[in-house]
């Protein structure tokens, strides 16, 4: 028996949505743990529910993984000249807008 494709759209029924997020969240947490064990990978997963409840998994120290991510992204951003040019353009646009407001 083959399952049909699930149409990806918001589930309107709140009780059905709650059941779905619970099942999928648990499946996602299980997959993250399996990935970390099988592949010896550092894995961090953070989920905030609709009501703001936090669910998280970290294969090691969450803070260390987040710091590693920040350092990686910073290095990656520094190596990308297009990002630097775009950031500078935004700064100049903001400065020009602020100057117009002051004038």
């Amino acid at each position: 028996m083959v399952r049909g494709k699930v149409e990806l759209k918001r589930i309107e029924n709140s009780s059905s949505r709650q059941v779905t997020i619970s099942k999928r969240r648990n499946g996602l947490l299980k997959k993250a743990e399996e990935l970390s064990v099988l592949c010896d990978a550092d894995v961090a997963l953070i989920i905030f529910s609709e009501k703001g409840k936090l669910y998280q998994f970290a294969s090691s120290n969450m803070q260390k993984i987040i710091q590693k991510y920040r350092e990686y992204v910073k290095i990656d951003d520094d190596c990308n000249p297009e990002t630097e040019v775009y950031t500078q353009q935004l700064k100049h646009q903001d400065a020009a807008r602020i100057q117009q407001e002051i004038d």
Side-chain angles (χ1 to χ4, degrees):
M1 184 172 170
V2 178
R3 292 188 201 178
K5 281 195 169 187
V6 176
E7 184 181 350
L8 293 180
K9 65 175 186 167
R10 185 174 190 271
I11 300 170
E12 296 302 324
N13 184 315
S14 63
S15 62
S16 295
R17 188 170 52 246
Q18 184 59 40
V19 169
T20 301
I21 193 169
S22 177
K23 287 181 179 179
R24 288 188 174 235
R25 180 190 65 236
N26 290 336
L28 190 55
L29 290 167
K30 183 179 176 185
K31 290 287 185 186
E33 182 180 11
E34 290 172 355
L35 181 64
S36 71
V37 171
L38 293 173
C39 301
D40 196 27
D42 280 340
V43 178
L45 174 65
I46 302 170
I47 303 170
F48 288 100
S49 73
E50 182 181 29
K51 295 180 180 177
K53 196 168 180 183
L54 169 68
Y55 302 93
Q56 64 182 2
F57 168 80
S59 59
S60 60
N61 185 312
M62 177 70 82
Q63 293 298 328
K64 287 182 182 178
I65 295 174
I66 291 172
Q67 184 60 36
K68 188 186 232 183
Y69 170 75
R70 285 182 177 154
E71 289 171 4
Y72 182 83
V73 171
K74 182 179 178 189
I75 291 169
D76 200 31
D77 283 348
D78 291 344
C79 295
N80 188 347
E82 292 176 1
T83 303
E84 184 64 30
V85 169
Y86 180 69
T87 303
Q88 290 298 326
Q89 287 174 346
L90 288 178
K91 287 180 183 177
H92 290 299
Q93 289 172 356
D94 286 344
R97 182 182 49 81
I98 292 170
Q99 185 62 41
Q100 285 178 348
E101 289 177 8
I102 291 172
D103 292 343

